Amino acid sequence: MHCPHCRSTETRVLDSRVSDDGAAIRRRRSCPACEKRFSTVEQVQLSVVKRSGAAEPFSRDKVIDGVRKACKGRPVGEDDLARLGQSVEDTLRATGTAEVPAPEVGLAILGPLRELDEVAYLRFASVYRAFESASDFETEIAMLRAEHEAVGSAAQTTA
């Protein structure tokens, strides 16, 4: 760790605390060379393992860009996309593993996207699940309708 003030490589940890969610460690440091203090936050690097076996760092921006394409022309704002990206990252970090297979990233996107916008969900699912015909769309739409009916009848039962 380099001191941000004098660039010395010798720093001393004064205090370490785990964040509330347990995903990061905040360290208070001191530089013996310039005697200034600073804080660092350490977080495990989340990696995505591609189908080819290559691993790359997880990118929330890459998730948001992919979902943005599915949401083109839909009433979905940038704040919605940012929340979805954060939700996907939180879901993946909650697995407790540093490496996540690429298909799990897609699955983590599908749930929040379905709640955000069903048309965008169908667009994304058609690419992610490699729909090959109109019947694939019909099957997915039938599942969405069945979920709506189940939610509607459950709401009527409790009312």
Side-chain angles (χ1 to χ4, degrees):
M1 175 58 57
H2 293 277
C3 172
H5 305 286
C6 71
R7 304 297 298 157
S8 171
T9 57
E10 298 296 320
T11 62
R12 196 174 68 223
V13 175
L14 303 174
D15 183 41
S16 294
R17 295 181 187 195
V18 177
S19 65
D20 291 338
D21 62 2
I25 296 175
R26 181 180 182 275
R27 298 195 194 280
R28 189 71 180 145
R29 297 178 179 266
S30 172
C31 175
C34 68
E35 297 182 3
K36 294 196 178 188
R37 292 182 178 196
F38 59 98
S39 295
T40 59
V41 177
E42 298 174 23
Q43 192 171 25
V44 172
Q45 177 69 44
L46 187 60
S47 295
V48 177
V49 180
K50 302 286 210 167
R51 289 185 178 108
S52 66
E56 68 178 44
F58 172 80
S59 169
R60 188 185 317 165
D61 290 336
K62 195 169 178 179
V63 168
I64 292 170
D65 288 344
V67 173
R68 183 180 288 118
K69 290 174 188 169
C71 293
K72 187 173 183 172
R74 301 296 303 155
V76 176
E78 287 299 315
D79 288 345
D80 297 322
L81 294 174
R83 280 191 294 276
L84 185 139
Q86 182 64 53
S87 172
V88 169
E89 184 172 352
D90 291 346
T91 299
L92 296 174
R93 287 194 182 280
T95 65
T97 61
E99 290 187 338
V100 178
E104 284 188 33
V105 177
L107 289 174
I109 292 170
L110 286 173
L113 184 55
R114 181 172 48 206
E115 291 178 21
L116 181 62
D117 187 278
E118 288 181 344
V119 172
Y121 164 78
L122 285 170
R123 289 175 178 171
F124 188 87
S126 70
V127 174
Y128 175 71
R129 293 186 178 150
F131 287 7
E132 293 182 7
S133 67
S135 66
D136 293 334
F137 280 96
E138 290 169 352
T139 302
E140 198 67 33
I141 291 169
M143 281 183 17
L144 289 171
R145 284 187 177 138
E147 287 177 16
H148 282 293
E149 290 171 8
V151 169
S153 62
Q156 289 176 353
T157 306
T158 58

